[in-house]
Amino acid sequence: MSKVTIIIPVYNSAEYIGKCIESILNQTYHDYDILIVNDGSKDNSQQIINEYKEKYPNMFFPIIEENQGIGMARNNALEKATGDYIMFIDNDDFIDKDYISSHIKELEEKDYDMVLSGYKRVTDTETQFSVTLEDYPWSRYVSIAPWGRLYKASFLKENDIKFLKTPIGEDIYFNLQANTLTNNIKIIDYAGYNW
């Protein structure tokens, strides 16, 4: 069992999913597994996923399902996650090499329920802007996406924190629960998620 389970919902992302996965494989931290959920893609996303599964059979755990939307894809992966900690990455995003290590170091230091960080808004050629968070309570609401965070799995499971089934706002609901059900949160001055 790996320490961190990374959840990636995939829908028609053949153009981007390789870059996303490669950014995970290039991490300085290596105790993780990847639950990659193909949510009914109609392109060759699954072929790309299969190639990585074949190359890294002990690291990649694909889930194939009919299209249910990103919230349900994440919920289905959460039910199967075995790591002590959970990270979400979107299929068209990528992370800096020290992304996982920067979060896990903080979370394990004081047993936080969640560690939050900032992000960069990027294109194929440039970084448009970067958002870093200051260590004050309102920072937990700057971004409502599930990425840019490392969650303690037991915190999510014990509080039954799930995504909505709706196609819009499913992540707002998830993080409003996470943000209000604990104050045991660490905010770090770091922006290694590329959105």
Side-chain angles (χ1 to χ4, degrees), residues 9-184:
V10 174
Y11 182 74
N12 291 346
S13 187
E15 184 179 352
Y16 302 105
I17 191 61
K19 184 172 185 176
C20 175
I21 291 170
E22 288 296 328
S23 75
I24 298 169
L25 294 174
N26 288 327
Q27 290 296 295
T28 57
Y29 183 87
H30 302 289
D31 191 5
Y32 61 81
D33 56 54
I34 300 170
L35 275 178
I36 189 160
V37 186
N38 183 353
D39 187 41
S41 293
K42 299 183 181 356
D43 65 0
N44 67 334
S45 293
Q46 189 59 47
Q47 180 182 339
I48 296 167
I49 293 167
N50 290 343
E51 289 169 5
Y52 280 102
K53 170 64 178 169
E54 188 174 324
K55 197 170 181 183
Y56 304 97
N58 298 320
M59 186 182 298
F60 279 83
F61 300 94
I63 300 168
I64 303 171
E65 59 186 29
E66 291 183 13
N67 182 258
Q68 300 178 68
I70 193 168
M72 287 305 297
R74 289 180 181 137
N75 285 343
N76 293 338
L78 273 173
E79 288 178 12
K80 294 174 172 59
T82 57
D84 295 328
Y85 308 112
I86 306 289
M87 273 190 158
F88 296 97
I89 300 177
D90 283 354
N91 60 189
D92 55 349
D93 298 338
F94 60 96
I95 53 177
D96 291 352
K97 288 183 178 182
D98 61 344
Y99 180 75
I100 300 175
S101 62
S102 296
H103 288 77
I104 197 112
K105 173 187 167 196
E106 296 290 341
L107 196 144
E108 288 186 323
E109 188 175 295
K110 295 222 175 143
D111 196 31
Y112 294 105
D113 291 325
M114 191 184 345
V115 174
L116 283 73
S117 66
Y119 62 92
K120 293 175 276 196
R121 180 63 168 156
V122 300
T123 68
D124 289 337
T125 57
E126 66 177 355
T127 298
Q128 295 180 320
F129 61 85
S130 181
V131 175
T132 53
L133 305 179
E134 294 181 34
D135 192 8
Y136 65 97
W138 180 249
S139 286
R140 67 179 78 176
Y141 299 101
V142 169
S143 170
I144 44 75
W147 44 256
R149 299 164 185 248
L150 176 66
Y151 304 87
K152 193 184 337 177
S154 60
F155 164 68
L156 297 178
K157 290 174 183 175
E158 287 164 11
N159 290 284
D160 197 30
I161 298 173
K162 302 273 175 142
F163 293 89
L164 286 177
K165 296 178 183 179
T166 58
I168 298 173
E170 82 292 333
D171 48 2
I172 297 172
Y173 178 78
F174 182 89
N175 272 327
L176 282 177
Q177 292 178 87
N179 289 338
T180 55
L181 288 171
T182 185
N183 284 316
N184 189 24

